[in-house]
Amino acid sequence: MATAVTLDPGFVPPTTAEELLLLPDGMHGEIVRGVFVPMPAPGTLHGVVTMRVGSYLHVFVEERGLGIVTTAGTAFRLARKPDTVRCPDSAFVRAERVPSPLPRGAVEGAPDLAVEVLSPSNTRAEIDRKLAEYLRYGARQVWIVDPEDRTVSVYAAGGLPRFLEGDHVLDGGDLLPGFALPLARLFPAPAPAPPEAPPA
């Protein structure tokens, strides 16, 4: 269920990537066709899973000099006039596409890999829209990670989606050959079931 975010009556919403970077501390959001979409705090489980997937990606990419991995809050401008700016929870950009020097603001274009970790505020329509935008504007892969269901949905440009669960292994396909992350390492161990009450 989506969580409403109440904005101060005097707040002027950003409409461009440049204005998005000027948001006050503690406020986060994205821009969809020039309209600011505030993002509530996602919660602890979301943060733990986001850190894990980003950490595994970073180590794999850094050791091989494949490019850069970004964390939540890094803005990618997918379109201009009006701006559409998305901030995936983690992302990978191939070395040949990494701008030099790195921009202080948004990265122009979609990442090669966008990772979205679901949080309680997300709706299915919102995630479907993000997925479609990433692929439309050039992403080669999108991973939708569901910490509650402990699943990962992998979408590749021009290919069929794959749905991973249980003892499956998340791999990088032809974008990150050799990358392999068992889902058991991605998700925190589920809480143990409470002990059964003794019979009366």
Side-chain angles (χ1 to χ4, degrees):
M1 178 180 295
T3 302
V5 177
T6 303
L7 300 176
D8 186 284
F11 174 70
V12 178
T15 61
T16 67
E18 290 76 15
E19 293 174 354
L20 189 67
L21 297 174
L22 301 178
L23 284 175
D25 289 344
M27 180 176 288
H28 306 281
E30 298 176 318
I31 297 175
V32 181
R33 296 186 59 80
V35 177
F36 176 64
V37 180
M39 300 170 63
T44 304
L45 178 59
H46 177 280
V48 169
V49 173
T50 297
M51 177 58 74
R52 287 187 179 186
V53 68
S55 296
Y56 280 109
L57 277 171
H58 170 73
V59 169
F60 182 87
V61 167
E62 186 75 9
E63 288 180 346
R64 293 159 179 79
L66 300 178
I68 59 171
V69 173
T70 65
T71 61
T74 304
F76 289 82
R77 178 159 34 200
L78 306 184
R80 287 177 174 266
K81 297 182 180 180
D83 277 12
T84 290
V85 184
R86 292 298 191 182
C87 303
D89 292 308
S90 187
F92 162 64
V93 180
R94 288 177 293 134
E96 57 267 34
R97 296 188 57 235
V98 175
S100 180
L102 289 174
R104 294 178 62 86
V107 179
E108 297 294 336
D112 293 284
L113 166 66
V115 182
E116 291 287 351
V117 180
L118 301 186
S119 64
S121 66
N122 291 134
T123 65
R124 184 70 252 177
E126 174 192 4
I127 293 302
D128 286 346
R129 181 169 187 171
K130 286 188 179 186
L131 169 62
E133 287 174 351
Y134 287 133
L135 294 176
R136 181 188 314 135
Y137 290 108
R140 291 176 55 183
Q141 285 191 34
V142 180
W143 298 349
I144 306 297
V145 182
D146 189 334
E148 294 288 347
D149 289 346
R150 303 172 65 84
T151 62
V152 179
S153 302
V154 178
Y155 299 85
L160 295 175
R162 295 186 294 127
F163 303 98
L164 309 178
E165 61 183 357
D167 60 357
H168 289 165
V169 175
L170 173 62
D171 66 71
D174 60 0
L175 177 60
L176 290 167
F179 178 84
L181 174 56
L183 296 197
R185 294 185 184 176
L186 175 58
F187 299 114
E196 294 184 7

